[in-house]
Amino acid sequence: MSDARIKRMKDLPSTHLLGTGTPMCSGCGGLEALHEIYDVLGEKTVFVNAAGCMTLLSVYPFTPFRGSWLYTAMASAPAGAQGVRDALDILLEQGRIPPEDDLEVVVLTGDGSAYGMGMSATSGAMDRNLDFIYLCYDNEGYGNTGQQYSSATPHGAATSTSRGSRGYPGYKKDLFAVWAAHAPAYVATVIGSEPLDLARKIEKAKEIRGPRMIIALSPCPTGWDYDPKLSVEIGKLAVSTGVWPLKEYIDGKVTHTRLPHDRPPVEEYLKLQGRFAHLFEPARDEELLADIQARVDRYWENVTPA
Amino acid sequence: MDQTLLTGNVAAAWGARLAAVDYIPAFPITPQTEIIETLGAWVDTGEMPGRMVTLESEHSMLTAAGAAAATGVRVFSATSSQGLLHAMEMLYTVSGWRAPFVLVNVSRGLSAPITLEADHNDILAARDSGFLQIHCADCQEVLDGVLLAYRLAEDPGVRLPVLVNLDGFYLSFTREPVSLPDPAAVARFLPPFDPGNIRFAASAPESQAVAVLGGSPYSYFRYETHLAAQNALAVYDRVAGEFESLFGRQRQAVEAYRTGDADIVFYMMGSFATKAREAVDRLREAGQKVGLLRPRLLRPFPTDAIAAALDGVQGVAVIDQNLSMGQGGVLHTELAASLYGRPGAPAILTSFIGGLGGREITPEEFYQMVAVTREAVTAGKAPPPRLLYTEAELREIRKLQAVAQVEREETTPLRWSEDSNQGGAGHE
Ligand SMILES: Cc1ncc(C[n+]2csc(CCOP(=O)(O)OP(=O)(O)O)c2C)c(N)n1
Ligand code: SF4
Ligand SMILES: [Mg+2]
C-alpha cells in the first residue's frame, strides 16, 4: 500500500464533483457520504445503481455526476457491475478503448439491496473476485418506499411497518461480518460525519484491486424522524456512543479505525431521533434501553485495542 | 459446406462461436446446459476467444448481459423456462436500455408441476418484454437464427435484444445434420459489432437507464422501443434476403408450406411444426388441400405476411403449445386479433391446445384437427377450444391417481381418526 496522501482535514479534496440540486431530502446523510466519496474517487467512475432513494439522483435529462451512471434493478446492481467491468476489460484487451478510458465501477445501493434482496448478487460478485467498489448507504430501512423496516433496521426502531410500542423486534444484521466472511480485498464502515476517516478508507480502497466493500451509516432525517440540521451531530454520536464502529477488514484482519473512549450512553444518540421516541415517552422503557446499551457494551468488550 | 450431426444445443453454441461473441454470462438449467458447457469448453481450450462468466442466478446473468452490451461488446447468453422467468424483471429492463444482444431460450414447460420437457409458456411469458423473438423448427434454423438475431439486434434502427427459441429435448438433444457456414462468409454477413454510441468510457461520460418523472417521457421512451421493434420487420426481411444469397437457405419471417391453394391451414410454431409438415404431405396425398403456416418471427409480429398467406383460406387450425389460463391459446388470440376485419381473411379459426410439457401430437390428431376445422367451415361456426388429450391418457392419469390414493392411505398416520382400531401406524 502506498502512503496515504490524506492525513489531515486540510488534505481533503477542495473541489467538489457531485452537482447540487438533487431531489434528496435536506440533511440526507447518504448524500453527504456520497459527496465525500465521489470527491476522492473522481469522475472516472461509472455508478451502477439499485432501486432506492439515490435512483432519483439521475432523472432524465439531469445528472449530478460528471462520470457515468447505469440504473439496474433492486436485486442485481453487482451483476451489472460484473457486466460493465468484464466488458471494459474485453475492450481494453482488444485495444478497442485506450487505457485512459477505463473506469472504476462503483455499485451504489441502499441497505435494502445490500442486506437483503441484492445479497446473493453481492456474494456472487465477491466469489468471482470482481474488481469493483460497493458503496452501501445504510439508512436502516426501505427509505424510498417510506421507511419500512429492512434487515439493517436497529432493534427497537419505529418504522412504518413497526409502529408498535417496542418498535422493530429484530436486530440489525452484521453486514460487515457477512461481507468479511467472503474474504474480499477490503471491507470498511464509514460515516459522512467523519470525513477524514472516510476519505482515508476510500483512498485506500481506490488503490486496491478486487471487491472493495463500503458501508456508510446514513442518518436519514425523513426516515429517522429528526430535524435535518442534526444529521452531522447524530452521525458523530453514532460513532462516539459506539453504535456505529468505524473499522476495516484487510488481509484477513479487522482493525478499528476509531476506538471510542468514555462512550456516552447510547440514549444520547437515540433520544434525538423520533423513531426511538417511544423509548422515552410516555415513560422510559428501561428494559429496552438497557438491552440496547448492553449489546453495544458487549460489542466493545470484545474489541481489543490495536 | 460440410454437414455435421449436431444437437440443437450445440448448433446454438456454434451460432455464438461463428458470431465471434466477446462475452457469455451463463447459468445452468436443463435442457439448456449443454450450450454453456460447449461454449465453456471452447473458451477453455482457446478454440474460441471470448470470456465466459457463470453468475449466481439468471436474474444476475441477464443484468450482466445487458450491462456488458450497454458497454459495447457482443454478448451471448442462454437459458430455459424457470431461468427465463427468474430473469423476467431484467428482460424488460435491458430491452428498455436498448442493449443489443442474443439470448437463446430452450423451451421447457413451467412449474408447477415441475417438468423438463418442452412447451412455449416460458418464451411467451417474455412476449411483451421488448425482446424480439425468433422461433426455430430444426437444428439448422437454430444456428442460422443466432446469426440472423445478431444482425437484427445490432441494426442501428433496431438496437434491441433478441430471443432465439428452440424446443427442449425435441431440438436441444436431437442430433440433425447441420451445415456449418464458412467463418469468412459469416464474417461478411455479420461484421464485428459496431457499438456506435453504446458505451461507457471515461472520455465520454454517459448516463444510461435513468429514471423519468411522469407518464409523458415514459410513454415516449416506451413507444420508441415499440417503433424500434416494428422497424425490425423490414430489417429482418432485408437480412434474411442477404442470408439466403450468401448461404442459400430461406429464412423468411413466416414459413408458408403448401399454403398456395390450401383451404385448410395449420398455424403453429416451433419443432412440432415439422410434424404438421408431415401431416400436410400425407393429407395432400389423400387429396386434401392442406398447408402449414409457421411464424419464425413472433416479435415483431409479421401481420401482413401472415394475412397474405392466409388470404382466401377457409379455415385455420391453430395449435397452441401453450396455455393462457382462463383464456386459451396465445397464438389463437393473436392470430384472431391480427386478422379481424381484413377482407379475404379466413372465417374460421379453430383452437387446439397440444404438446404441453412435451406431450406428443400424433398424425391422427393432425388429421382430426383438419376434419374438425372442415366441419366448422361448413357449419360457419368454430367449436370451443380443445385440449389434445386421448381417452387412453385419461385412463393412465386415473391409474396414477388411484395409486396416489392408496399410497396416502397406507403411509399416513391415522392421527385424526380417534376411534381407529387399526393399530397406531407411526406410533410404535
Ligand atoms: C424488485 C423490486 N421490489 C420492490 C421495489 C420497490 N422499491 C424501490 S426502492 C425500495 C427500497 C430500497 O431500500 P434501500 O435499498 O434501503 O434504499 P433506500 O430506499 O433506503 O435508499 C423498494 C422496496 C423495487 N424497485 N423492485
Ligand atoms: S429518505 Fe433518507 S436516505 Fe432517502 S433521500 Fe431522504 S434523507 Fe436521504
Ligand atoms: Mg435504505
Side-chain angles (χ1 to χ4, degrees):
Chain A
M1 183 94 18
S2 63
D3 280 320
R5 285 166 312 227
I6 301 175
K7 297 202 172 77
R8 290 174 291 268
M9 286 295 273
K10 74 174 183 53
D11 299 328
L12 293 175
S14 56
T15 49
H16 301 299
L17 296 182
L18 196 70
T20 51
T22 72
M24 302 298 103
C25 312
S26 59
C28 174
L31 190 63
E32 177 193 24
L34 181 64
H35 262 289
E36 296 169 13
I37 290 167
Y38 198 37
D39 286 346
V40 181
L41 287 180
E43 53 198 70
K44 282 191 167 194
T45 41
V46 49
F47 281 89
V48 183
N49 174 239
C53 287
M54 299 277 181
T55 300
L56 294 177
L57 284 175
S58 293
V59 175
Y60 190 79
F62 301 113
T63 177
F65 294 97
R66 299 196 188 185
S68 293
W69 170 271
L70 176 69
Y71 168 71
T72 54
M74 190 169 166
S76 57
Q82 180 87 44
V84 174
R85 180 67 266 155
D86 286 340
L88 287 169
D89 286 344
I90 290 165
L91 293 170
L92 288 164
E93 262 165 40
Q94 297 179 354
R96 285 161 64 191
I97 58 170
E100 325 66 275
D101 258 345
D102 195 12
L103 293 164
E104 182 82 82
V105 183
V106 186
V107 164
L108 176 67
T109 85
D111 52 285
S113 282
Y115 286 70
M117 197 189 279
M119 186 165 249
S120 87
T122 312
S123 176
M126 285 189 278
D127 296 343
R128 297 184 296 268
N129 200 33
L130 181 65
D131 183 21
F132 78 126
I133 292 177
Y134 192 128
L135 170 58
C136 165
Y137 61 96
D138 178 358
N139 62 1
E140 307 194 314
Y142 300 118
N144 188 242
T145 43
Q147 197 69 6
Q148 299 78 20
Y149 64 77
S150 75
S151 52
T153 300
H155 187 56
T159 69
S160 53
T161 44
S162 58
R163 292 189 201 274
S165 63
R166 296 187 64 80
Y168 174 58
Y171 293 89
K172 186 179 178 73
K173 187 188 283 177
D174 187 352
L175 186 65
F176 181 93
V178 174
W179 279 358
H182 290 74
Y186 188 62
V187 189
T189 59
V190 300
I191 190 163
S193 55
E194 300 292 343
L196 187 58
D197 178 80
L198 176 148
R200 294 175 66 133
K201 286 171 174 165
I202 302 303
E203 188 187 39
K204 193 181 279 187
K206 203 180 156 181
E207 282 161 20
I208 312 173
R209 304 266 62 87
R212 292 146 289 158
M213 318 295 293
I214 312 288
I215 316 170
L217 185 69
S218 302
C220 166
T222 312
W224 298 6
D225 186 15
Y226 64 82
D227 187 328
K229 72 177 183 222
L230 294 178
S231 277
V232 173
E233 186 180 342
I234 286 176
K236 286 193 171 294
L237 279 165
V239 175
S240 63
T241 59
V243 165
W244 187 244
L246 293 175
K247 54 186 171 179
E248 61 188 1
Y249 165 96
I250 192 162
D251 293 334
K253 228 180 98 214
V254 176
T255 312
H256 284 76
T257 54
R258 186 74 61 83
L259 287 172
H261 298 293
D262 309 319
R263 284 181 281 114
V266 173
E267 63 174 272
E268 298 299 312
Y269 169 72
L270 303 177
K271 72 183 182 197
L272 295 181
Q273 305 172 45
R275 63 175 173 159
F276 294 113
H278 55 287
L279 302 187
F280 304 98
E281 297 288 337
R284 282 175 63 89
D285 188 334
E286 298 295 354
E287 194 191 333
L288 201 43
L289 283 167
D291 180 28
I292 294 171
Q293 183 66 56
R295 281 172 185 272
V296 172
D297 292 345
R298 201 176 325 141
Y299 176 89
W300 288 103
E301 275 160 26
N302 293 323
V303 174
T304 39
Chain B
M1 280 190 241
D2 296 335
Q3 292 230 323
T4 323
L5 279 178
L6 298 181
T7 61
N9 279 342
V10 176
W14 266 105
R17 176 168 166 175
L18 287 163
V21 301
D22 296 306
Y23 187 50
I24 308 159
F27 196 81
I29 182 168
T30 305
Q32 168 279 129
T33 310
E34 187 187 11
I35 299 177
I36 58 165
E37 285 181 347
T38 305
L39 290 169
W42 287 337
V43 170
D44 282 346
T45 58
E47 282 168 276
M48 178 180 163
R51 186 184 279 223
M52 180 160 145
V53 175
T54 303
L55 280 292
E56 77 297 327
S57 77
E58 290 88 352
H59 187 282
S60 281
M61 177 183 91
L62 254 290
T63 310
T71 311
V73 300
R74 186 173 280 164
V75 179
F76 175 86
S77 191
T79 189
S80 182
S81 71
Q82 306 305 122
L84 190 72
L85 264 72
H86 190 64
M88 193 57 74
E89 179 188 26
M90 297 319 292
L91 292 184
Y92 279 74
T93 303
V94 300
S95 70
W97 297 356
R98 307 291 301 277
F101 66 98
V102 174
L103 174 66
V104 164
N105 183 63
V106 184
S107 265
R108 162 180 156 185
L110 293 169
S111 183
I114 185 102
T115 188
L116 293 175
E117 290 194 55
D119 69 39
H120 298 154
N121 264 107
D122 59 355
I123 182 76
L124 289 174
R127 185 188 65 172
D128 305 333
S129 66
F131 272 65
L132 309 181
Q133 291 196 9
I134 296 175
H135 288 255
C136 305
D138 60 42
C139 296
Q140 183 73 59
E141 275 193 18
V142 172
L143 190 156
D144 297 352
V146 171
L147 301 178
L148 286 160
Y150 277 105
R151 280 292 302 274
L152 199 58
E154 294 171 4
D155 190 278
V158 178
R159 270 189 65 165
L160 283 170
V162 180
L163 269 160
V164 176
N165 198 67
L166 63 137
D167 291 328
F169 291 81
Y170 285 93
L171 290 188
S172 69
F173 299 145
T174 304
R175 278 171 199 274
E176 292 179 348
V178 172
S179 97
L180 289 179
D182 168 36
V186 173
R188 270 203 305 286
F189 175 71
L190 179 65
F193 178 34
D194 173 11
N197 63 352
I198 310 177
R199 63 178 170 178
F200 286 114
S203 61
E206 190 75 57
S207 297
Q208 297 197 47
V210 298
V212 293
L213 288 181
S216 170
Y218 182 81
S219 305
Y220 178 85
F221 289 117
R222 295 293 287 176
Y223 209 76
E224 280 261 282
T225 306
H226 169 63
L227 294 176
Q230 293 214 308
N231 285 345
L233 264 182
V235 174
Y236 184 87
D237 287 345
R238 175 163 51 77
V239 169
E242 273 180 53
F243 187 89
E244 187 182 347
S245 58
L246 268 170
F247 303 106
R249 287 188 293 276
Q250 292 196 346
R251 292 294 180 242
Q252 294 102 319
V254 182
E255 183 204 14
Y257 183 69
R258 304 184 84 165
T259 54
D261 63 341
D263 44 27
I264 305 290
V265 166
F266 292 116
Y267 180 80
M268 65 190 302
M269 62 184 191
S271 64
F272 273 25
T274 58
K275 298 173 191 286
R277 221 184 279 155
E278 274 294 311
V280 165
D281 288 344
R282 297 290 85 75
L283 288 162
R284 285 270 172 182
E285 282 162 17
Q288 296 208 42
K289 288 185 182 168
V290 176
L292 161 70
L293 196 65
R294 172 175 71 91
R296 281 199 183 88
L297 199 59
L298 193 76
R299 282 293 179 278
F301 192 70
T303 310
D304 290 338
I306 286 171
L310 293 178
D311 189 62
V313 167
Q314 294 175 357
V316 182
V318 182
I319 306 170
D320 269 290
Q321 209 176 344
N322 66 78
L323 183 53
S324 172
M325 313 299 177
Q327 157 56 274
V330 173
L331 297 191
H332 181 259
T333 317
E334 291 215 328
L335 185 64
S338 61
L339 293 179
Y340 185 81
R342 285 200 180 229
I348 293 296
L349 305 183
T350 51
S351 170
F352 301 93
I353 309 292
L356 298 186
R359 186 246 186 223
E360 179 66 286
I361 303 180
T362 63
E364 292 70 27
E365 286 172 327
F366 282 105
Y367 309 152
Q368 179 87 36
M369 286 187 271
V370 169
V372 168
T373 307
R374 277 200 197 290
E375 280 165 30
V377 167
T378 311
K381 186 172 182 298
R386 14 181 120 170
L387 175 72
L388 301 182
Y389 210 73
T390 60
E391 301 232 335
E393 281 176 289
L394 195 57
R395 255 196 319 278
E396 283 307 312
I397 272 289
R398 295 286 180 246
K399 283 186 204 164
L400 294 180
Q401 286 174 323
V403 172
Q405 186 63 31
V406 172
E407 285 291 316
R408 169 176 299 180
E409 281 161 9
E410 300 217 331
T411 57
T412 308
L414 300 170
R415 263 178 267 123
W416 61 86
S417 66
E418 295 193 346
D419 57 358
S420 162
N421 55 8
Q422 298 189 0
H427 288 283
E428 293 183 1

